[in-house]
Amino acid sequence: MESLPEDVLLEIFSRLPARSAARLRAMSRSWRAELSSPSFVDLHLRRANTTAPPKLFCCPCDDKLMLADQWCLYDLQLGGGPGRELVRGGEFGDVLPAPLTKPLRGLVLVMCYGRNGVYVCNPSTGGEALALPDTELPSKATFRPSLGPGPPYYRNVAYGLGYCSAAKEFKVVRMFSEGHYEETATRCKVFVLDSPAYWRPAAGKPPPACIVENTGVFLDGSVHFLCSDGGGMVSFNVADESFGSLPAPPPLAAAVYGVADWRIRERMTELDGCLCVCQYACGSDGHGPCRLWLLRRHGGGDETAARWEKLCCIDPIPWPSRSIVPLCMYGEKILMRTGRSVVFAVDAAAAAGGAPEILFRPDEHEATAGEFEDTQLPALGLYEESLVPVGRTVEEIVFSSPATRAWSDVLKWLPARTVSELSVVCKAWRAMVTTDRFIRSHAVHANMAARRPRIRFVMDPVGGVPADIDRHTDEIHEPDISPKPFVCSQPCHGLNVGSFSDVLDFVCNPIMDYHEELPLIESDDDYDDDGDDDIFYGRIALGYDEEVGDHVVVRLAYTENNPETRSYKLQCRMRYVKRREWSPQPIPPPPRPVASATPAYANGKIYWLVDPALGPASATTTTPPTSACELVALDCRNAVARHHYDVVRGPPMPPCGRVSLLRLHGALCVACSDRDANAIDVWAMQQGAGTAAGDAVWSMVYRIELAGYSPEYTSEKTTVMGVDPTSGRILLNTSRSVTTIPRRGSWRRSTVSEGCTRRQMMAVVHDF
């Protein structure tokens, strides 16, 4: 190698696959500098992609993904099958990425099913990926309940990737359209890769009333968006961030095919250097022909001289699919793909009557065999060999500044509402407070200071509209507190989870007015709750997975519950909050029957109370009056994949009385009501106590005597909510009022209004 001239070596290296060329950077510092230089990256991009066959990648079916620890992407050999492995796991974890765009200098915009997050990825270098901020739950596309006029939000978010050759920078563009309020205009945000700035408004303003649903297509220096309301196309110039417009292709009428109720679908892409729109009609009982239109420019490339020309009409009957989209030109033929990852080629000249040439069917190869779901965005797309990096993360860029690190150490102690208001000071602060690093740090430090617990009344359990307990009752707008059962967890890393009646589960951040329903999934018809007046209080639980960096929600439900025979059947579902869908994998339920008591999260585990009336008598036999309750603990570390349970022996409890779980001062506590003495005993598990049955060590930390305040305060209807660290007062909830009591001294009570004391009061304690 030393005898070869440097220019010869570079010529050889420039024709290697990107993954091989990237590995050569580890040979020496000089090679690393040379092979990372912009000149060599551009040379490699030109030389390594001169081969004729297009490069595609594909993913195995969902069944194989469930059996594997991590998904993988294969290099697709046209006319053959899956070739070498391109990507395995990596930044995407255990969720499936689906390409949104064609490769632009090697970079592809992908969306991950399950997380809904958007990434910039380079498949050719082993899946190097950059997570774009504020894409899993975009703030402008999230409904935030409010007692007054709420902030605007949008139903549609469309993304596009562009490149400015003059500035040599990539820009991710997203369009917010179809606002919830009619007067809400379309907005455009820009994110520059490897730049310290956050999402910022585009320099120009998009048309105010366009509705954009399709992914943007980059061509000739602009990102083009197809409007779904017949408004033509909107063009975003990547260099100066101005907007233009182009005409839409002739509309396709479903009535042409004799079916008036079919839905017309349109997808736009780039084909043979032109914008291409694919139109097809589909319904529940079939599909119409697929028409391809090309926007050709005449007269020197002037946009005013652009004209749509019909390329071909394809019969989709041999491969019915929700999505048929052209990929690229393959010689004289058009390469197409379906929603089931089938790849075929058609001759544009004979597409109306010519038979397609099937180039790839995933079910014909062992690596990808199985049942593929018919989807709009299958995990199949184009890629190209490229050494272009995706850039640094926002967190790496932001915290590389000493000034930003100093401000982070100041802001992490402030309440969340204050931090949210300060985030509009500048884009650097906005970028800083939205990073996972700052969020994790703030969740710890902002709640370390001794502050009074924040309590909010939930005025509308369905919409999640909260109201501060400290506000004057006249400001609460005559709340309509529902008589149906309501349960809400203690805060866990800033979020609360709860249930309203037997029909609604939700997760919320009351301080930030965030509220999201947790809808049931298809097979939840098997869940058999007992009705509105007998809610199963142990069914919904919330913990935090430190390894994944996300909240984990656990939902339990009985399909069989017979105390007479002690038989039961318990089902379990889990999901991460950010991924917005329940895990499709079957989750084993806890090894013991769970009682109807609110679960608690402490020290990285979720705890449920065991129901002694169900299951084998040997496992739950108790002998009053010195019996001890049992708990089931779920380790939240990688909970969805591991689902590791332990059985923990609880403290002694009276022979009759109610038992509830909660977290006080960071420790797991069990509150046992003594019905005969009308008192509540609060037991705490000592830190570091074992989790195996019999190893836990408990000590009584409070005894709350209510006999002197009966009949309004009874141990059977009063629950402990928390402790005020500033005064040591204990917060109690009687379902009609919130009361604070000291260990000795007078009581203080807060109610919403006299009209609410006869109904179920819904109060939530939350973090700062």
Side-chain angles (χ1 to χ4, degrees), residues 659-707:
V659 180
S660 60
L661 306 180
L662 71 157
R663 185 183 69 254
L664 295 178
H665 306 297
L668 175 68
C669 294
V670 177
C672 306
S673 65
D674 187 344
R675 184 183 301 175
D676 295 335
N678 196 12
I680 300 176
D681 295 333
V682 181
W683 296 79
M685 186 169 69
Q686 294 185 7
Q687 297 290 341
T691 56
D695 289 345
V697 179
W698 298 86
S699 61
M700 184 185 295
V701 291
Y702 300 109
R703 180 174 176 84
I704 305 171
E705 298 181 352
L706 305 174

Side-chain angles (χ1 to χ4, degrees), residues 391 453 487 525 552 568 573 687 747:
V487 60
D525 293 338
V552 59
Y568 75 96
R573 297 282 162 75
Q687 297 290 341
W747 291 38

Side-chain angles (χ1 to χ4, degrees), residues 387-643:
L387 292 171
V388 175
V390 297
R392 295 173 295 171
T393 65
V394 174
E395 187 171 298
E396 292 172 341
I397 297 174
V398 168
F399 285 95
S400 63
S401 168
T404 302
R405 292 197 299 269
W407 279 115
S408 174
D409 291 337
V410 174
L411 298 181
K412 68 183 181 183
W413 297 95
L414 301 180
R417 179 72 70 176
T418 304
V419 174
S420 177
E421 294 171 350
L422 291 175
S423 66
V424 300
V425 171
C426 62
K427 293 184 178 64
W429 281 20
R430 173 67 175 171
M432 175 186 64
V433 301
T434 55
T435 60
D436 290 339
R437 173 176 171 177
F438 179 83
I439 292 173
R440 291 192 299 266
S441 177
H442 179 269
V444 174
H445 292 86
N447 293 283
M448 290 177 60
R451 296 189 179 98
R452 294 180 56 192
R454 294 291 301 273
I455 301 177
R456 281 192 161 192
F457 292 113
V458 179
M459 317 311 297
D460 178 11
V462 177
V465 178
D468 284 327
I469 192 174
D470 296 331
R471 297 178 59 182
H472 193 272
T473 55
D474 294 340
E475 301 180 29
I476 301 183
H477 305 293
E478 299 181 0
D480 181 17
I481 305 299
S482 173
K484 296 182 179 181
F486 173 85
V487 60
C488 190
S489 71
Q490 290 181 293
C492 171
H493 285 251
L495 296 185
N496 301 68
V497 75
S499 299
F500 172 61
S501 179
D502 66 342
V503 297
L504 175 66
D505 298 327
F506 63 89
V507 61
C508 65
N509 182 343
I511 195 66
M512 299 302 295
D513 296 338
Y514 161 70
H515 179 94
E516 180 185 356
E517 294 184 17
L518 304 175
L520 307 183
I521 54 182
E522 302 85 29
S523 58
D524 276 334
D525 293 338
D526 297 335
Y527 281 59
D528 184 19
D529 293 318
D530 294 331
D532 289 354
D533 298 328
D534 192 17
I535 185 174
F536 174 45
Y537 286 93
R539 79 177 182 193
I540 196 77
L542 181 68
Y544 189 78
D545 191 332
E546 296 285 353
E547 293 185 359
V548 178
D550 194 0
H551 292 78
V552 59
V553 181
V554 183
R555 188 180 190 273
L556 304 177
Y558 282 101
T559 58
E560 180 183 340
N561 188 332
N562 192 337
E564 294 182 0
T565 62
R566 304 184 67 88
S567 62
Y568 75 96
K569 289 183 180 179
L570 190 62
Q571 289 186 355
C572 178
R573 297 282 162 75
M574 293 187 189
R575 61 163 280 183
Y576 289 108
V577 172
K578 293 180 181 179
R579 301 189 184 181
R580 309 188 76 174
E581 68 176 11
W582 298 95
S583 173
Q585 304 179 18
I587 303 296
R592 296 284 194 275
V594 174
S596 183
T598 305
Y601 172 79
N603 301 320
K605 297 183 179 181
I606 299 176
Y607 293 86
W608 289 270
L609 182 69
V610 173
D611 189 346
L614 297 174
S618 59
T620 54
T621 299
T622 57
T623 305
T626 60
S627 61
C629 62
E630 277 190 329
L631 309 177
V632 175
L634 170 67
D635 192 340
C636 290
R637 292 176 298 177
N638 203 9
V640 176
R642 294 177 61 245
H643 36 76

Side-chain angles (χ1 to χ4, degrees), residues 134 280 377 418 430 609 753:
D134 192 37
Y280 57 100
L377 294 173
T418 304
R430 173 67 175 171
L609 182 69
S753 66

Side-chain angles (χ1 to χ4, degrees), residues 449-455 469-470 723-727 731 740 748 750 766 768:
R451 296 189 179 98
R452 294 180 56 192
R454 294 291 301 273
I455 301 177
I469 192 174
D470 296 331
V723 176
D724 186 345
T726 62
S727 61
L731 280 72
T740 62
R748 296 179 183 175
S750 299
H766 56 83
F768 283 82

Side-chain angles (χ1 to χ4, degrees), residues 63-348:
D63 296 337
K64 289 186 178 291
L65 289 174
M66 293 174 62
L67 297 176
D69 294 334
Q70 292 180 324
W71 57 267
C72 58
L73 293 181
Y74 295 101
D75 175 37
L76 182 60
Q77 306 294 324
L78 293 179
R84 63 188 175 98
E85 186 178 290
L86 286 175
V87 185
R88 174 172 288 274
E91 179 69 24
F92 304 112
D94 58 351
V95 294
L96 178 64
L100 296 177
T101 65
K102 288 186 176 183
L104 175 59
R105 293 178 57 83
L107 302 188
V108 180
L109 211 60
V110 300
M111 174 175 285
C112 285
Y113 284 120
R115 290 182 182 174
N116 292 328
V118 178
Y119 293 74
V120 176
C121 175
N122 186 342
S124 66
T125 56
E128 182 185 7
L130 174 69
L132 298 179
D134 192 37
T135 56
E136 294 181 354
L137 294 172
S139 56
K140 291 187 180 299
T142 303
F143 170 71
R144 298 182 182 275
S146 175
L147 294 175
Y153 71 97
Y154 297 84
R155 295 185 177 92
N156 297 321
V157 185
Y159 291 86
L161 177 65
Y163 179 74
C164 178
S165 57
K168 297 188 181 301
E169 60 184 13
F170 290 88
K171 294 183 180 180
V172 181
V173 186
R174 65 177 177 181
M175 299 278 288
F176 293 94
S177 63
E178 198 174 4
H180 180 68
Y181 306 105
E182 293 183 358
E183 64 274 11
T184 304
T186 302
R187 294 189 181 184
C188 178
K189 297 287 186 178
V190 177
F191 182 86
V192 182
L193 298 188
D194 209 28
S195 169
Y198 196 65
W199 288 102
R200 57 172 176 79
K205 291 186 178 180
C210 62
I211 299 177
V212 179
E213 296 178 349
N214 291 283
T215 302
V217 177
F218 180 74
L219 183 66
D220 297 333
S222 296
V223 180
H224 305 274
F225 294 92
L226 180 64
C227 300
S228 60
D229 56 351
M233 291 191 301
V234 176
S235 299
F236 174 82
N237 188 293
V238 178
D240 60 12
E241 301 186 4
S242 61
F243 287 88
S245 61
L246 289 171
L252 179 65
V256 172
Y257 307 110
V259 184
D261 60 344
W262 277 8
R263 181 179 177 183
I264 305 299
R265 297 183 182 274
E266 292 184 323
R267 292 288 300 274
M268 186 169 65
T269 184
E270 178 271 333
L271 189 66
D272 197 23
C274 300
L275 291 177
C276 175
V277 173
C278 177
Q279 297 177 333
Y280 57 100
C282 62
S284 59
D285 55 349
H287 298 73
C290 176
R291 296 186 177 184
L292 298 183
W293 297 84
L294 288 183
L295 183 62
R296 298 192 184 277
R297 297 181 178 180
H298 304 275
D302 186 8
E303 291 188 357
T304 59
R307 184 174 68 242
W308 287 98
E309 297 179 1
K310 183 178 177 181
L311 180 63
C312 60
C313 184
I314 304 172
D315 185 5
I317 293 179
W319 48 84
S321 174
R322 296 174 54 195
S323 174
I324 301 177
V325 177
L327 290 172
C328 61
M329 296 300 297
Y330 183 45
E332 298 297 326
K333 295 184 178 182
I334 305 173
L335 204 64
M336 310 281 292
R337 67 107 177 117
T338 72
R340 298 185 186 274
S341 297
V342 176
V343 180
F344 62 93
V346 294
D347 191 341

